Amino acid sequence: MKPGKSTKSSPPARAWQRMLSGRRLDLLDPSPLDIEIEDIAHGLSRVARWNGQTEGRWPYSVAEHSILVENLIHRLYPDLALKWRLAALLHDSAEYVIGDMITPFKSIIGSDYKTVERRLEEAVHVRFGLPAALPADTVKKIKRADKIAAYLEATQLAGFSLPEANKIFGKPKAGLDVVIEPISPTAAKQAYIKRFRILGGPST
């Protein structure tokens, strides 16, 4: 470029995604008003856990994983209020936009990924009547159920040996009787929305 020559600044990169509902969700500043449960359920039913490295006819989806986590948290804490069980169902809801990155890759990317994920999670919580930041005790409960779910998935679907899974995830004291059977994306979407309604998720 010659000295003194004016330049036009490049337009900012697009930071929103169009959903099937017609909503345009800003990834950097997501609005609760642009979030719909049908979009979440549709996206999560088509996002594969374990980068698709699972056995079975169908990929095991994040929607199915989320239902499993909610089931486990109810087993672990049967008196837990429905709204916190709803929070468990929604715990990976941001992945309907940003996908399910395996933990080792998240650690490589660093804080930027976590910032986008947190903003999306907070917007989802507000959209469905939960506090933007969940209580620490609730987060702890969800993480416990999530870890058990990971153990079950690892040993039943992802090819982990029991000693390997015990070392990485820790052998759980509950939920070992749960049998995981991956289902189609359409069935997973329907099951996710059904759980959402049962747990008191708003219809609008």
Side-chain angles (χ1 to χ4, degrees):
M1 183 180 67
K2 296 181 179 180
K5 186 177 180 179
S6 62
T7 61
K8 295 182 179 180
S9 60
S10 301
R14 177 170 66 88
W16 54 265
Q17 179 176 343
R18 186 189 185 283
M19 303 299 167
L20 286 179
S21 65
R23 299 287 189 183
R24 290 189 177 187
L25 183 64
D26 187 330
L27 304 186
L28 301 180
D29 186 21
S31 168
L33 298 177
D34 290 327
I35 293 170
E36 301 292 346
I37 191 59
E38 289 78 9
D39 291 333
I40 293 175
H42 185 85
L44 295 186
S45 70
R46 287 159 172 74
V47 175
R49 288 273 291 171
W50 306 93
N51 276 350
Q53 298 299 309
T54 52
E55 298 177 353
R57 178 185 178 188
W58 303 105
Y60 183 69
S61 70
V62 175
E64 295 169 81
H65 163 77
S66 300
I67 294 169
L68 174 59
V69 170
E70 189 272 319
N71 175 281
L72 290 169
I73 204 170
H74 181 48
R75 284 171 171 241
L76 294 168
Y77 310 101
D79 296 327
L80 192 65
L82 281 183
K83 66 178 181 179
W84 304 132
R85 288 170 58 188
L86 177 62
L89 182 73
L90 296 168
H91 80 283
D92 277 340
S93 55
E95 294 177 6
Y96 90 105
V97 181
I98 57 179
D100 180 27
M101 294 188 182
I102 58 175
T103 300
F105 194 49
K106 288 181 182 180
S107 64
I108 295 172
I109 295 176
S111 60
D112 288 345
Y113 176 89
K114 296 301 295 184
T115 298
V116 172
E117 182 181 48
R118 176 181 52 78
R119 288 173 179 170
L120 286 166
E121 288 175 348
E122 291 177 351
V124 169
H125 291 161
V126 172
R127 172 66 178 88
F128 299 124
L130 298 168
L134 300 178
D137 184 59
T138 299
V139 172
K140 185 177 179 179
K141 288 181 170 68
I142 293 173
K143 286 184 177 179
R144 182 185 176 194
D146 194 26
K147 195 171 184 179
I148 295 173
Y151 179 94
L152 298 174
E153 295 163 8
T155 55
Q156 295 185 33
L157 302 175
F160 284 63
S161 68
L162 291 177
E164 185 179 20
N166 291 341
K167 181 179 180 180
I168 296 173
F169 305 105
K171 184 177 181 179
K173 297 179 180 179
L176 293 176
D177 60 321
V178 173
V179 177
I180 303 174
E181 295 182 4
I183 56 179
S184 72
T186 298
K189 176 181 178 179
Q190 293 172 346
Y192 189 92
I193 292 176
K194 182 178 180 180
R195 287 310 299 166
F196 176 83
R197 302 295 184 213
I198 289 173
L199 296 172
S203 57
T204 58

